[in-house]
Amino acid sequence: MRLKNKLAVITAAASGMGRLGVVFFAREGATVAAIDINAEALAELAVEMKAKGSEIITIVADLSTEDGMRGSINEAADKLGGIDILWAHAGIPGPASVENLDMTEYQQAMTLNVTTAVLGAGEVAQHMRKRGGGSLIFTSSISGLVGSMFSPIYSACKFAVVGLGKSLALSFAADGIRVNVICPGLTETPMMEGFVGRGGEILNSAENKNKLLASVPLGRLGQPEEIALTALWLASDEASFVTGVALPVDGGYTCR
Ligand SMILES: NC(=O)c1ccc[n+]([C@@H]2O[C@H](COP(=O)([O-])OP(=O)(O)OC[C@H]3O[C@@H](n4cnc5c(N)ncnc54)[C@H](O)[C@@H]3O)[C@@H](O)[C@H]2O)c1
């Protein structure tokens, strides 16, 4: 098993890629704490995992608050007995334009995309040091590597996450903590709906959908399991010499 005896935490774990991360991490032997604001979806996940033979810890928290982020990481450390792996996966699309900006929506995007990663790293480092090291994984986006015409604020946030990951890879290397960033392309999860309405209902016409798919060299959208399996690899000792990477998982989108 690839994560035997590992203690793992995943945020935004009740849906999409994070949810599959819980399934894959547990299947590979980790004890997993799943953090999310959606209590009902977390409870359903716990039942599904129990049916598969895995007990998971669920923590309901609003990660857009400082207490929610700091508190849930420390609660996870208490309940797990330490932390070896954190996949800090929370994020939201945020406002579509810098014009007529609603500052509350702007702050929410900055908070969930960037501040959660900062606070998560700040809280988890002490726990990983106690365990002799660890693997910290952030979720950025292709929009953290190239500009995004329809989501400039999201892109600014996700570039920040890449910068944070590369910097912390340097800061934490001496403690045996690897820090890596996953940059997914457009991936079929509920969140994708938040993006596809931008730029003219991209997926609502065959012509627009074909245009979108033509921008991906592999000619298709990503699947959440493809991102969760990347997180699994980065979390595992198979990636023991990998740190400071911002890894596109995007069907080749950022090659151009
Ligand atoms: N889906 C894509 O196309 C795509 C592409 C690139 C990057 N991403 C990134 O992936 C991450 C999540 O994406 P997903 O597609 O798995 O999303 P998703 O919509 O499937 O899941 C998001 C989860 O976040 C939780 N959440 C939302 N607000 C929260 C809060 N305040 N506190 C705690 N939990 C909260 C939701 O309850 C949900 O379970 C984000 O960081 C996003 O930027 C997504």
Side-chain angles (χ1 to χ4, degrees), residues 18-74:
R19 190 179 205 282
L20 283 170
V22 174
V23 174
F24 296 158
F25 284 24
R27 193 177 68 193
E28 293 299 331
T31 308
V32 184
I35 304 173
D36 202 285
I37 198 170
N38 188 335
E40 199 181 326
L42 271 185
E44 281 170 17
L45 175 60
V47 170
E48 182 188 314
M49 295 302 295
K50 198 164 185 178
K52 290 183 164 87
S54 292
E55 294 280 351
I56 62 164
I57 291 160
T58 57
I59 299 172
V60 179
D62 180 356
L63 299 174
S64 68
T65 68
E66 183 183 344
D67 284 352
M69 190 64 202
R70 287 189 197 275
S72 61
I73 295 295
N74 289 311

Side-chain angles (χ1 to χ4, degrees), residues 185-240:
L186 213 49
T187 305
E188 286 191 89
T189 70
M191 176 169 296
M192 206 185 73
E193 304 299 322
F195 291 108
V196 294
R198 297 177 176 179
E201 300 300 323
I202 295 170
L203 290 182
N204 287 356
S205 80
E207 187 196 348
N208 283 340
K209 187 167 183 180
N210 287 340
K211 254 192 237 166
L212 175 72
L213 295 183
S215 70
V216 184
L218 289 185
R220 64 176 176 82
L221 300 172
Q223 295 304 309
E225 51 267 37
E226 294 176 298
I227 312 303
L229 286 169
T230 305
L232 171 63
W233 174 68
L234 287 171
S236 77
D237 291 340
E238 291 162 20
S240 52

Side-chain angles (χ1 to χ4, degrees), residues 61 78 93 135 159 174 213 215:
D78 281 350
S135 173
F159 266 81
L213 295 183
S215 70

Side-chain angles (χ1 to χ4, degrees), residues 11 86-92 108-121 136-145 153-170 179-184 244-247:
T11 68
L86 170 62
W87 183 12
H89 178 60
I92 51 167
Q108 184 77 351
M110 286 289 167
T111 302
L112 263 178
N113 287 304
V114 184
T115 313
T116 53
V118 172
L119 291 177
L136 173 54
I137 303 160
F138 296 129
T139 303
S140 174
S141 166
I142 48 173
S143 304
L145 297 171
I153 289 161
Y154 180 75
S155 185
C157 292
K158 293 302 194 181
F159 266 81
V161 172
V162 170
L164 180 72
K166 285 183 179 286
S167 303
L168 292 180
L170 298 173
V179 187
N180 291 292
V181 185
I182 303 176
C183 300
V245 161
L247 179 62

